Amino acid sequence: MLETKLSMEGTESSDKASWTKEMVHTFCDICIVAIDRGMRPNTQFDKVGWKFVMAAFKKKTGYAFTKTQLKNKWDGAKKDWRLWKKLISETGVG
């Protein structure tokens, strides 16, 4: 899915979000803060939580990703974590 994002220079483009390793770490740190503040009542962030995540991510990285782009990253990371957890339990490593 193509989404609109702002580059660090503030110009608009219609590219899929590109994530660097540092951006993923920043996103995870922001999500942890939002969870600690109670902005995730169930399995997803509430409206206030997503606004917080979007604003904090833009402030720290300079990229204004949409809620959809951030949610896609959240869903993908959650899927990867579940797979990792299953592999660890099945192989006995860890």
Side-chain angles (χ1 to χ4, degrees):
M1 176 186 333
L2 295 179
E3 294 292 335
T4 301
K5 69 176 180 178
L6 295 177
S7 70
M8 292 189 80
E9 297 81 30
T11 58
E12 194 173 305
S13 68
S14 296
D15 296 329
K16 185 176 177 183
S18 297
W19 291 82
T20 64
K21 188 176 184 179
E22 293 79 17
M23 290 166 69
V24 173
H25 286 283
T26 300
F27 177 67
C28 290
D29 291 341
I30 292 168
C31 289
I32 291 168
V33 170
I35 291 166
D36 289 344
R37 292 184 181 181
M39 297 178 187
R40 190 187 72 157
N42 297 309
T43 59
Q44 295 290 331
F45 294 112
D46 56 16
K47 187 181 280 191
V48 174
W50 280 117
K51 285 183 181 182
F52 170 80
V53 170
M54 290 169 60
F57 189 80
K58 182 178 180 182
K59 183 178 178 182
K60 289 192 177 196
T61 66
Y63 285 91
F65 287 168
T66 64
K67 176 185 170 187
T68 303
Q69 289 171 314
L70 295 173
K71 187 176 180 314
N72 286 342
K73 178 52 78 177
W74 171 268
D75 291 340
K78 193 161 132 181
K79 181 180 173 185
D80 291 344
W81 177 79
R82 286 182 177 156
L83 178 62
W84 176 84
K85 187 176 172 183
K86 183 178 179 182
L87 287 172
I88 291 297
S89 68
E90 287 180 2
T91 61
V93 177

